[in-house]
Amino acid sequence: MLIDLQSDDELAFLTAVRRDLHAHPELGFEEERTARVVAEILADAGIAVHRGLGKTGVVGTLSCGTGEGTIALRADMDALAMPETADRPYKSTIDGKMHACGHDGHTTMLLGAARHLARTRDFSGTVHFIFQPAEEGRGGARRMVEDGLFDLFPSDAVFGLHNMPGLAVNEMAVVAGPQLASSDSWTVTMRGIGTHGAKPHLGRDAVTASGHFLSALQTIVGRVVDPLQPAVVSACSLRAGDPEALNVIPDTVEIGGTARAYSPEVRDQLESEIGRLCDGIARTFDLKADYRYIRRIPPVVNHPDSAADALRVARDVCTGSVRTDFAPSTAGDDFAFLNQDIPGAYVWLGNGPAVDGALHHNTAYDFNDDAISTGVSFWVRLVEQQLGGNGTAT
Ligand SMILES: [Zn+2]
Ligand SMILES: [Zn+2]
């Protein structure tokens, strides 16, 4: 069941917080104002506040009863470096920055849940409210983990939530297994011996070798990876020679690209297979080759138990449908660093129809405040379910 936010004007309070955050967007690791707002609201609710993890990250901790269970809930706080084009009373006040991914809504809903749980205290155990900086490609979750997040705040399970336009505000999607792809980069440098274009036999031709490498590259997905496992390997950059020097075979060719997968095993496979092709082709053509695979973000994979728990709660709070057939996204989310070593689930909360076609990362996007009730209710009921019973509720 939805919790009642209408009493004591809580919904009006949260809506005002959300719009204030929207008007004051901050980029990754620069969320000084946002972190201050978050810390003040948590402290006002009587919640212990820890600041400075991952530079601007904030963790609120609320314990209740004698239960030893712990749960971590994560919201991201950062905005994007893009201008807001739509006119609204709470439009971004900062040129070139806007909340175009709805993280203002995520922060607000987790604050709403923290306030509610601090009041009702109908659970027994400990909940950590994680307000993460820099989700948008700047590595905030990894920084928090490296700064000791789960050493300071050990957690049995961690949950994340993202708004999703296209689903109604009273709908959610909760699916076990892969949700978001890994997002890695790779580079290959073929090192030959440059020579006169008319005398290739006097050198070692890195350009021809690179052609063989590129045409073999798609055999990784086509012939090596299990056909039932999605994977992408793309060469996206190629640099060699000079169009002004068409009689010169260059010394080196630099190639770079991306690799995506939905399982850690396939991700490992892509890393080793690109390297194997690179080595093999270099040896065939008697060149040297350098290979680098840069692991950026692991895939987000929902643990079956955590997904089942989240699904039960979603079905309880959503007055609309709960989707269990929602397709994974090819985007990434560094929530993956949080649920790598402990069970967890990442769920989607409906954000209503895309207004004027504006989706995530569009200059007119806006989080839909009508989703706040469902989001806060989901977090509250999830804590009550995971840390159920014997709280100090009166
Ligand atoms: Zn985003
Ligand atoms: Zn986002």
Side-chain angles (χ1 to χ4, degrees), residues 80 100-101 103 135-136 162 360-361:
L80 286 149
C101 205
H103 298 184
E135 186 280 325
E136 298 284 3
H162 207 291
H360 293 141
H361 295 206

Side-chain angles (χ1 to χ4, degrees), residues 179-383:
Q179 297 304 294
L180 296 144
S182 60
S183 175
D184 297 331
S185 305
W186 56 267
T187 62
V188 163
T189 305
M190 291 288 176
R191 298 188 186 283
I193 299 172
T195 183
H196 196 299
K199 301 172 183 174
H201 61 292
L202 299 181
R204 289 277 178 269
D205 184 2
V207 174
T208 298
S210 296
H212 282 263
F213 170 76
L214 289 171
S215 65
L217 195 61
Q218 294 313 321
T219 63
I220 296 173
V221 174
R223 305 285 85 182
V224 179
V225 175
D226 179 346
L228 296 178
Q229 295 279 347
V232 182
V233 177
S234 294
C236 304
S237 162
L238 182 63
R239 196 161 56 187
D242 186 332
E244 301 298 322
L246 296 182
N247 56 354
V248 176
I249 294 174
D251 286 318
T252 59
V253 178
E254 293 170 359
I255 307 168
T258 190
R260 311 268 165 145
Y262 288 95
S263 79
E265 295 74 25
V266 174
R267 187 190 195 200
D268 291 346
Q269 205 173 18
L270 298 183
E271 175 172 8
S272 63
E273 290 297 319
I274 297 169
R276 191 177 60 80
L277 275 186
C278 167
D279 281 352
I281 300 279
R283 210 166 318 128
T284 300
F285 289 88
D286 195 18
L287 315 177
K288 301 258 181 295
D290 301 332
Y291 171 55
R292 263 184 85 209
Y293 189 91
I294 304 120
R295 291 186 165 235
R296 296 190 184 282
I297 301 177
V300 173
V301 182
N302 283 352
H303 191 281
D305 296 343
S306 306
D309 290 346
L311 180 60
R312 251 194 329 277
V313 174
R315 284 188 168 138
D316 177 34
V317 301
C318 287
T319 52
S321 65
V322 178
R323 299 271 300 271
T324 55
D325 60 348
F326 206 65
S329 166
T330 50
D333 190 309
D334 67 358
F335 176 81
F337 286 107
L338 304 182
N339 79 333
Q340 269 194 137
D341 298 322
I342 58 175
Y346 182 98
V347 303
W348 304 100
L349 168 68
N351 210 237
V355 178
D356 299 328
L359 295 165
H360 293 141
H361 295 206
N362 181 288
T363 54
Y365 190 67
D366 189 24
F367 179 83
N368 187 339
D369 291 320
D370 290 341
I372 290 177
S373 289
T374 312
V376 172
S377 298
F378 173 77
W379 283 139
V380 167
R381 296 292 183 230
L382 184 68
V383 170

